Amino acid sequence: EAQVTQNPRYLITVTGKKLTVTCSQNMNHEYMSWYRQDPGLGLRQIYYSMNVEVTDKGDVPEGYKVSRKEKRNFPLILESPSPNQTSLYFCASSLSLAGTYNEQFFGPGTRLTVL
Amino acid sequence: KQEVTQIPAALSVPEGENLVLNCSFTDSAIYNLQWFRQDPGKGLTSLLLIQSSQREQTSGRLNASLDKSSGRSTLYIAASQPGDSATYLCAVRPPGGGADGLTFGKGTHLIIQP
């Protein structure tokens, strides 16, 4: 089944404790990205990757890191989490940016609470 | 900067009714527009994608239209069912299919009463 998977689905942690949220897709997609969703603010892009070893900042990158060493994986790293990073996180992927049909597929979400 | 607005923010209708959800965007120069469904505790499910050159797309009981010049899209749901209850989000992609992410509206929370 074609899908985007994220782990963990739920995480409660404390301020300053480094964590990684994994994202993996099995559709051979080139483009991957991370969003966060907050009440009243909607979904905002954190980082994106156009292909292996190519990453760039989205709208709200502060406090986050990413890496793209393999095409299928795009982990989100919080080196020193803070309470304002409490949010619902989504990973997304699409086949490419080229062409006119680049539907984005989203993972199930990771609910992160930073105490 | 592109802004996407969805009206109404919430809607409750009896089962069986046809309904329309609205989405407007400030910059008409978009690459495509995508409608999603979000269920509580779950991810986003893509419903329909309309290219900038298209006027509408249909999937089952869903029909999405796009009027790029006026910056509007509608999602029509025919013969609504309780299982349609969810939050519906529309999102636009920047012109040129650029690397920038989708810009999302804040969604319409839909409740279909049995």
Side-chain angles (χ1 to χ4, degrees), chain A residues 12-69:
Chain A
I12 300 174
T13 189
V14 295
T15 298
K17 186 176 182 181
K18 180 179 179 180
L19 66 92
T20 299
V21 183
T22 65
C23 172
S24 182
Q25 48 88 11
N26 62 0
M27 296 171 279
N28 201 36
H29 283 175
E30 290 183 353
Y31 182 85
M32 297 184 74
S33 62
W34 278 101
Y35 292 83
R36 60 179 288 175
Q37 185 178 35
D38 301 289
L41 296 175
L43 281 124
R44 296 173 293 168
Q45 191 184 49
I46 304 170
Y47 267 96
Y48 64 89
S49 169
M50 295 178 67
N51 214 324
V52 176
E53 303 290 3
V54 181
T55 63
D56 208 345
K57 298 176 181 178
D59 295 324
V60 287
E62 294 78 21
Y64 305 94
K65 286 176 57 178
V66 293
S67 69
R68 187 91 180 274
K69 292 183 169 53

Side-chain angles (χ1 to χ4, degrees), chain B residues 3-106:
Chain B
E3 291 182 5
V4 178
T5 303
Q6 291 187 246
I7 295 173
L11 181 64
S12 180
V13 300
E15 180 179 4
E17 283 199 6
N18 303 323
L19 57 97
V20 174
L21 307 182
N22 297 293
C23 172
S24 62
F25 43 95
T26 54
D27 186 347
S28 62
I30 63 169
Y31 195 63
N32 61 38
L33 183 145
Q34 200 166 350
W35 281 94
F36 295 89
R37 167 186 174 139
Q38 184 175 20
D39 295 281
K42 296 187 178 181
L44 279 67
T45 302
S46 179
L47 298 173
L48 290 162
L49 181 146
I50 309 177
Q51 304 300 334
S52 61
S53 58
Q54 296 176 321
R55 296 287 299 206
E56 66 178 331
Q57 283 286 334
T58 298
S59 176
R61 295 182 293 108
L62 305 179
N63 176 277
S65 68
L66 175 64
D67 184 344
K68 208 173 66 160
S69 61
S70 68
R72 294 179 188 278
S73 176
T74 61
L75 180 67
Y76 175 83
I77 302 176
S80 59
Q81 304 170 357
D84 294 330
S85 298
T87 296
Y88 290 80
L89 299 162
C90 74
V92 298
R93 180 177 279 280
D100 295 337
L102 297 173
T103 300
F104 283 84
K106 292 184 171 54

